[in-house]
Amino acid sequence: MRFLPLARPLLARPFLVCLLAAAGSVAHAQDAVIAAETDRYLSCLERVETDQDAAFEDALAWRMEGGGWPAAHCEARAIIALGDGARGAAMLDQLAMAEVSDQDLPARITMLVEAGQTWLSRDEAEAGQASFAAALELDPLDGAALLGRAEASVALGEWDAADAAATAVIDQTPGLVDGWRLRAQARLETGALDAAWQDMETGREIEPANIDLLVLRGRINEARRLAALEN
């Protein structure tokens, strides 16, 4: 099983300012506070990649100072990076579901997707599926959540759900090889060998050297051979 990368690309500065700012115009002093908090958030998340212990300590202190969800988000990410994936993923789930402000919706979806990816990396597909489902309740068209749901469904052997989620990913992002890979795998498992082959070949046109697709090609060929013997 090939799992999704942990982090989503959400950290564009304008996006963070929108999350951290109140709606409408603000005074100059308020702008300075928002800028400082944004910089602290960015710095904390960047530190997770280079010094997990320091990131955890900074995030914990910041949260105790009233840093809110940005501090808690960084703390959870640091906990995952330090190797306690279950604790960090559970914290992300709880944090995302505790947020009620509409302006924080993109951050909540991001936290749920990160939680789902972490659960998948721990082979806890049911927990991952729940995280992705919660993200899709907030935004039924979120591409990362749809891809995660397809991945979790494949891990759980829920082939129809995997096919549907992968199809939604393909419709949104036809150039993303993982959508074709997951749908091909789901169709292989349900015996739709020609459709699985077509999806696999489409994926290989995007990434000819993709190892997962090459393995899948061999599995489809073997399934075709066995089917021919039965006939």
Side-chain angles (χ1 to χ4, degrees), residues 50-66:
T50 59
D51 190 344
Q52 295 81 23
D53 288 307
F56 173 73
E57 292 172 2
D58 289 350
L60 183 61
W62 185 21
R63 186 162 64 85
M64 298 300 292
E65 295 167 6

Side-chain angles (χ1 to χ4, degrees), residues 132-212:
F132 295 125
L136 289 169
E137 287 183 8
L138 298 175
D139 181 358
L141 298 179
D142 185 83
L146 286 168
L147 187 62
R149 184 172 70 179
E151 194 86 53
S153 296
V154 164
L156 293 168
E158 297 176 354
W159 309 121
D160 289 341
D163 189 312
T167 297
V169 172
I170 290 167
D171 289 343
Q172 279 192 14
T173 317
L176 183 65
V177 71
D178 283 336
W180 299 102
R181 172 180 63 83
L182 290 166
R183 193 169 75 174
Q185 186 171 350
R187 291 179 172 182
L188 166 63
E189 298 293 346
T190 58
L193 300 184
D194 289 343
W197 182 269
Q198 184 176 352
D199 284 348
M200 179 274 298
E201 286 290 88
T202 302
R204 291 190 67 235
E205 289 175 8
I206 300 169
E207 289 186 20
N210 185 289
I211 297 299
D212 293 322

